[in-house]
Amino acid sequence: MTTDTTTKGTATTVLDARGVTMRFGGLTAVRGVDLTVNSGEIVGLIGPNGAGKTTFFNCLTGLYIPTEGEVRYKDRVLPPKSFKVTAAGIARTFQNIRLFNNMTVLENVLVGRHTRTREGFWSAVLRGPGFHRAEAASREHAMELLEFVGLAAKADHLARNLPYGEQRKLEIARALASEPGLLLLDEPTAGMNPQETRTTEELVFAIRDKGIAILVIEHDMRFIFNLCDRVAVLVQGEKLIEGDSATVQGDERVVAAYLGEPLENDPGAAEAAEVEAAEANAGTAADTPAGKENDR
Ligand SMILES: Nc1ncnc2c1ncn2[C@@H]1O[C@H](COP(=O)(O)OP(=O)(O)O)[C@@H](O)[C@H]1O
Ligand SMILES: [Mg+2]
């Protein structure tokens, strides 16, 4: 089911989510989802608005504790706090960009790095030689990351003055600063123009080539099917299908889910489809920055 063809023989399981269920009161946003990501892989997570994709990410990053199920990163059960998950090696970006707007581009990356610096609180306050050495190394590393995502020339700009597409790249640089083994990207090309989307695609391949496994949520199907070794489809909180791009693209249930046609045995789908269609007509589809953004 989850055999990996690109790294056969050497692949190890980086992420192993089993039976993840997340309930909010009476609403089950994610229901019994299994998903693995192996080293060297780029895995896509797609599905209509409200399918539970962001909620699932939140369950993988310690923001939510799943109501049921278990998540392992490199054979260890995830700690139940997001900063500990980051320290363990999972980094993410958000569907709603979360930058420190009044900090510079470089400072934003430095914030992302702090889980990896040994210097503690007192060292930072006392600012001894150890602190200055560590700080210089951190700055150098942060500048390398800005170079990598193509933002080195804007290191001193305030984050809020960056165009939207560059803010998304800065979020990726900040996530990489924690030196993750797995990077989760929640709609990384939302609001980008086609040119920016293409450079983001190259960037994701380059991150994979650094040895970082990737799980990516995106509505841009061309981006997903170009990029991903495997794609899983969530519909109404459940995994509908998982497979390589060709398999998923050709599955008529996936097409139906996206066209908003009612799925068999699914009384709620017709209503959901109407809402989706109305949103699309009103120009608030999820692939625009003004789209429904409900990550928390
Ligand atoms: N903190 C929360 N409390 C209550 N409901 C939530 C919360 N987070 C998400 N939901 C609901 O869970 C469902 C899935 O949302 P989400 O994971 O954001 O979907 P997607 O990212 O696939 O668009 C939606 O119905 C949403 O309103
Ligand atoms: Mg979402």
Side-chain angles (χ1 to χ4, degrees), residues 57-65 73 76-92 94 98 111-117 175 177-180:
F57 263 27
N58 290 343
C59 291
L60 303 181
T61 51
L63 274 179
Y64 294 158
I65 315 280
Y73 173 72
R76 285 180 50 206
V77 176
L78 279 193
K81 288 268 188 293
S82 57
F83 74 93
K84 287 185 182 168
V85 172
T86 311
I90 301 181
R92 76 176 291 181
F94 290 88
R98 294 190 186 179
V111 170
R113 173 129 178 104
H114 91 267
T115 54
R116 281 290 169 261
T117 49
S178 68
E179 298 180 15

Side-chain angles (χ1 to χ4, degrees), residues 24-25 27-30 47-56 58 64 95 186-187 217 219 234 286 292-296:
F24 301 107
L27 175 90
T28 306
V30 175
N49 262 332
K53 304 179 299 295
T54 296
T55 302
F56 184 64
N58 290 343
Y64 294 158
Q95 185 175 341
D186 196 347
E187 302 198 19
I217 295 171
H219 285 287
L234 273 196
K292 187 161 115 187
E293 302 201 284
N294 49 9
D295 63 336
R296 292 163 173 86

Side-chain angles (χ1 to χ4, degrees), residues 168-179:
R168 288 223 176 264
K169 289 193 176 165
L170 176 53
E171 267 220 318
I172 293 176
R174 186 179 60 182
L176 292 174
S178 68
E179 298 180 15

Side-chain angles (χ1 to χ4, degrees), residues 40 42 148 202-214:
I42 302 174
F148 180 70
E202 284 162 19
L203 180 60
V204 174
F205 278 128
I207 293 167
R208 190 271 315 269
D209 292 344
K210 278 173 176 279
I212 299 169
I214 291 157

